[in-house]
Amino acid sequence: MTENDALAAIIAGCQRGQREAQRELFERTNRQVFRIAARLVGETDADDVAQQVYLQVFQKIGQFAGKSAFGTWLYRVTVNEARQRLRIANRHRTAELKDDVSRTDRDLDEPVVLRELLQRALESVDSDLKIIFLLRETEGMTYCEIANVLEISSGTVASRLSRARHELQNQLKELGWCG
Amino acid sequence: MRCEDAQNLLSAHFDGELPSEVAATVTEHLAECAECRQRVEAMRELSELAAHLPEPAASDTLWDKFATKLDSTAVQTPSIAKRITISFTRRTLGLAAIAVTLLVIVGWLFMGHRHEGHDHQGMAAVFEKFIERFARNPSDAHALMLSTYENRLVDDDEAAQVLKRPLVTPPTLLGDCRVVSRHVLKMPCCACIETVYAQQGKTRLVIFEHESEQATWFGKRPQVRTECAGKPCSLIELPHGLATTWGVNKGCVTVFGAQDLKEVEQLVGEIGQ
């Protein structure tokens, strides 16, 4: 049995409401769901987002007709759920982020962990740009795959990714990155 | 190729996403343009930073937490008839078919029911169950509302549009209770916003924003009318904690899950500020 056949069998089991199949699907995919959720909304909220993702997946899996790859559909549900959470949380995060940047300015003489700089920079850019950057750089998706997940054109993926890189580089420079 | 045109393509070229003829033109340009080479180098460095982002790790208990939620939202099977496993011989096939048909009809009448058009007694009965379930598991109580009333997950802006006024429930309450979801519920009294707050991953508060006071929600439980944070409130005692309702900003708020009067004071003070 190929990997695709195995996944199809698990999905069929989930469509019949089989708990073992649901658990199997969860075990196969929760790492990627949690990873993208945590990178988008932070680790504190990622658990909740991941749980909401799987609730939606199991509620709607009966409607999954296989027209797109299951992985694409799962990413789409995860990104949409994370966006929902970001919309709710973002208004009150802006004030906190400004404080973070000013603390960084004072600490420029101290050694700074580069990946923390990138995490801070990611918090500062528009969430749509952040999502596209992460899907490309950390999930390794092609423009076509990203376009399918986000339901936009490949051309839009290309232009937004270019903007994301430009804005992240600007943010990193403001945070003291000399690269 | 002009530099301005090349710069618009550098990101896609870096990702290997350009058609081969265009990619070749950009490659030729890069051989001659130091500025564009610098831009590509910056993208490469950014990509390397991204490669070193820490990999967030899900907790080992994520499935257990989720399975509890899955049980309470009853997503496993959509129809009562499908839960019935019947084994029968050929002689009982006809009887079994009739039984399944009857079960499907019964299931259709009761499954996925919506209480549109129900009177306030109906809402009182629903809230009676809500309060019972809230005592055992607040997530179950929330799941009951979603299964009883037509509903939709909304963000803050959509919720405010439904209420036709700004939301009064903030993203965080009591220091560390944070909004996990907002749903609009189409209830007989009005379209109501139900907000669920979680504390350390567990549902802690369920708060309803609605048009007018709904005395029936508390049923026949003894209500105490008092003043909290300067506002007149009605309180009832739950099996574990308190529920309270008061008027805020031309509407009303009903909170389930306050642990004691001190928390009620704090919640009334924070909500609507």
PDB file of all heavy atoms in Angstrom, chain A residues 112-125:
ATOM      1  N   VAL A 112      23.060  39.469  20.370  1.00  0.00           N
ATOM      2  CA  VAL A 112      21.636  39.230  20.108  1.00  0.00           C
ATOM      3  C   VAL A 112      21.520  37.934  19.339  1.00  0.00           C
ATOM      4  O   VAL A 112      22.234  37.701  18.389  1.00  0.00           O
ATOM      5  CB  VAL A 112      21.027  40.379  19.281  1.00  0.00           C
ATOM      6  CG1 VAL A 112      19.558  40.121  19.004  1.00  0.00           C
ATOM      7  CG2 VAL A 112      21.217  41.689  20.004  1.00  0.00           C
ATOM      8  N   VAL A 113      20.615  37.041  19.731  1.00  0.00           N
ATOM      9  CA  VAL A 113      20.415  35.800  19.005  1.00  0.00           C
ATOM     10  C   VAL A 113      19.649  36.122  17.724  1.00  0.00           C
ATOM     11  O   VAL A 113      18.537  36.648  17.777  1.00  0.00           O
ATOM     12  CB  VAL A 113      19.649  34.791  19.869  1.00  0.00           C
ATOM     13  CG1 VAL A 113      19.408  33.517  19.094  1.00  0.00           C
ATOM     14  CG2 VAL A 113      20.410  34.515  21.165  1.00  0.00           C
ATOM     15  N   LEU A 114      20.239  35.807  16.582  1.00  0.00           N
ATOM     16  CA  LEU A 114      19.678  36.237  15.299  1.00  0.00           C
ATOM     17  C   LEU A 114      18.265  35.717  15.070  1.00  0.00           C
ATOM     18  O   LEU A 114      17.409  36.420  14.533  1.00  0.00           O
ATOM     19  CB  LEU A 114      20.591  35.785  14.162  1.00  0.00           C
ATOM     20  CG  LEU A 114      21.934  36.521  14.080  1.00  0.00           C
ATOM     21  CD1 LEU A 114      22.774  35.954  12.947  1.00  0.00           C
ATOM     22  CD2 LEU A 114      21.709  38.013  13.850  1.00  0.00           C
ATOM     23  N   ARG A 115      18.035  34.479  15.496  1.00  0.00           N
ATOM     24  CA  ARG A 115      16.689  33.956  15.219  1.00  0.00           C
ATOM     25  C   ARG A 115      15.641  34.689  16.038  1.00  0.00           C
ATOM     26  O   ARG A 115      14.499  34.797  15.623  1.00  0.00           O
ATOM     27  CB  ARG A 115      16.643  32.459  15.471  1.00  0.00           C
ATOM     28  CG  ARG A 115      16.822  32.075  16.916  1.00  0.00           C
ATOM     29  CD  ARG A 115      16.823  30.576  17.072  1.00  0.00           C
ATOM     30  NE  ARG A 115      16.807  30.183  18.468  1.00  0.00           N
ATOM     31  CZ  ARG A 115      17.091  28.971  18.883  1.00  0.00           C
ATOM     32  NH1 ARG A 115      17.420  28.037  18.015  1.00  0.00           N
ATOM     33  NH2 ARG A 115      17.040  28.660  20.154  1.00  0.00           N
ATOM     34  N   GLU A 116      16.037  35.254  17.194  1.00  0.00           N
ATOM     35  CA  GLU A 116      15.086  36.039  17.975  1.00  0.00           C
ATOM     36  C   GLU A 116      14.772  37.328  17.236  1.00  0.00           C
ATOM     37  O   GLU A 116      13.645  37.813  17.261  1.00  0.00           O
ATOM     38  CB  GLU A 116      15.651  36.349  19.356  1.00  0.00           C
ATOM     39  CG  GLU A 116      15.666  35.135  20.275  1.00  0.00           C
ATOM     40  CD  GLU A 116      16.316  35.431  21.613  1.00  0.00           C
ATOM     41  OE1 GLU A 116      16.806  36.559  21.815  1.00  0.00           O
ATOM     42  OE2 GLU A 116      16.366  34.507  22.443  1.00  0.00           O
ATOM     43  N   LEU A 117      15.781  37.886  16.552  1.00  0.00           N
ATOM     44  CA  LEU A 117      15.554  39.087  15.754  1.00  0.00           C
ATOM     45  C   LEU A 117      14.529  38.799  14.677  1.00  0.00           C
ATOM     46  O   LEU A 117      13.623  39.601  14.435  1.00  0.00           O
ATOM     47  CB  LEU A 117      16.846  39.547  15.083  1.00  0.00           C
ATOM     48  CG  LEU A 117      17.851  40.348  15.906  1.00  0.00           C
ATOM     49  CD1 LEU A 117      18.991  40.793  15.011  1.00  0.00           C
ATOM     50  CD2 LEU A 117      17.209  41.552  16.550  1.00  0.00           C
ATOM     51  N   LEU A 118      14.688  37.648  14.005  1.00  0.00           N
ATOM     52  CA  LEU A 118      13.742  37.314  12.935  1.00  0.00           C
ATOM     53  C   LEU A 118      12.349  37.113  13.502  1.00  0.00           C
ATOM     54  O   LEU A 118      11.358  37.548  12.914  1.00  0.00           O
ATOM     55  CB  LEU A 118      14.200  36.063  12.180  1.00  0.00           C
ATOM     56  CG  LEU A 118      13.276  35.621  11.040  1.00  0.00           C
ATOM     57  CD1 LEU A 118      13.077  36.742  10.022  1.00  0.00           C
ATOM     58  CD2 LEU A 118      13.818  34.375  10.343  1.00  0.00           C
ATOM     59  N   GLN A 119      12.250  36.469  14.656  1.00  0.00           N
ATOM     60  CA  GLN A 119      10.935  36.278  15.282  1.00  0.00           C
ATOM     61  C   GLN A 119      10.297  37.617  15.591  1.00  0.00           C
ATOM     62  O   GLN A 119       9.109  37.818  15.373  1.00  0.00           O
ATOM     63  CB  GLN A 119      11.057  35.431  16.562  1.00  0.00           C
ATOM     64  CG  GLN A 119      11.237  33.952  16.249  1.00  0.00           C
ATOM     65  CD  GLN A 119      11.363  33.079  17.480  1.00  0.00           C
ATOM     66  OE1 GLN A 119      12.183  33.348  18.351  1.00  0.00           O
ATOM     67  NE2 GLN A 119      10.581  32.032  17.544  1.00  0.00           N
ATOM     68  N   ARG A 120      11.095  38.549  16.091  1.00  0.00           N
ATOM     69  CA  ARG A 120      10.546  39.880  16.383  1.00  0.00           C
ATOM     70  C   ARG A 120      10.137  40.583  15.098  1.00  0.00           C
ATOM     71  O   ARG A 120       9.102  41.226  15.033  1.00  0.00           O
ATOM     72  CB  ARG A 120      11.571  40.724  17.125  1.00  0.00           C
ATOM     73  CG  ARG A 120      11.825  40.268  18.538  1.00  0.00           C
ATOM     74  CD  ARG A 120      12.803  41.190  19.225  1.00  0.00           C
ATOM     75  NE  ARG A 120      13.235  40.635  20.490  1.00  0.00           N
ATOM     76  CZ  ARG A 120      14.157  41.190  21.261  1.00  0.00           C
ATOM     77  NH1 ARG A 120      14.736  42.298  20.891  1.00  0.00           N
ATOM     78  NH2 ARG A 120      14.494  40.634  22.402  1.00  0.00           N
ATOM     79  N   ALA A 121      10.981  40.452  14.081  1.00  0.00           N
ATOM     80  CA  ALA A 121      10.657  41.096  12.802  1.00  0.00           C
ATOM     81  C   ALA A 121       9.364  40.511  12.231  1.00  0.00           C
ATOM     82  O   ALA A 121       8.531  41.241  11.692  1.00  0.00           O
ATOM     83  CB  ALA A 121      11.817  40.912  11.814  1.00  0.00           C
ATOM     84  N   LEU A 122       9.195  39.214  12.360  1.00  0.00           N
ATOM     85  CA  LEU A 122       7.984  38.561  11.840  1.00  0.00           C
ATOM     86  C   LEU A 122       6.743  39.081  12.553  1.00  0.00           C
ATOM     87  O   LEU A 122       5.674  39.207  11.950  1.00  0.00           O
ATOM     88  CB  LEU A 122       8.089  37.044  12.012  1.00  0.00           C
ATOM     89  CG  LEU A 122       8.949  36.319  10.969  1.00  0.00           C
ATOM     90  CD1 LEU A 122       9.264  34.898  11.410  1.00  0.00           C
ATOM     91  CD2 LEU A 122       8.237  36.277   9.614  1.00  0.00           C
ATOM     92  N   GLU A 123       6.878  39.384  13.848  1.00  0.00           N
ATOM     93  CA  GLU A 123       5.729  39.914  14.597  1.00  0.00           C
ATOM     94  C   GLU A 123       5.317  41.288  14.077  1.00  0.00           C
ATOM     95  O   GLU A 123       4.180  41.709  14.280  1.00  0.00           O
ATOM     96  CB  GLU A 123       6.068  40.023  16.091  1.00  0.00           C
ATOM     97  CG  GLU A 123       6.227  38.687  16.799  1.00  0.00           C
ATOM     98  CD  GLU A 123       4.944  37.883  16.817  1.00  0.00           C
ATOM     99  OE1 GLU A 123       3.867  38.460  17.057  1.00  0.00           O
ATOM    100  OE2 GLU A 123       5.002  36.667  16.559  1.00  0.00           O
ATOM    101  N   SER A 124       6.264  41.976  13.450  1.00  0.00           N
ATOM    102  CA  SER A 124       6.007  43.362  13.051  1.00  0.00           C
ATOM    103  C   SER A 124       5.390  43.507  11.674  1.00  0.00           C
ATOM    104  O   SER A 124       4.863  44.560  11.348  1.00  0.00           O
ATOM    105  CB  SER A 124       7.312  44.169  13.080  1.00  0.00           C
ATOM    106  OG  SER A 124       7.888  44.115  14.340  1.00  0.00           O
ATOM    107  N   VAL A 125       5.520  42.478  10.835  1.00  0.00           N
ATOM    108  CA  VAL A 125       5.003  42.641   9.470  1.00  0.00           C
ATOM    109  C   VAL A 125       3.536  42.231   9.419  1.00  0.00           C
ATOM    110  O   VAL A 125       3.039  41.535  10.303  1.00  0.00           O
ATOM    111  CB  VAL A 125       5.823  41.841   8.429  1.00  0.00           C
ATOM    112  CG1 VAL A 125       7.257  42.296   8.410  1.00  0.00           C
ATOM    113  CG2 VAL A 125       5.718  40.351   8.637  1.00  0.00           C
TER     114      VAL A 125
END
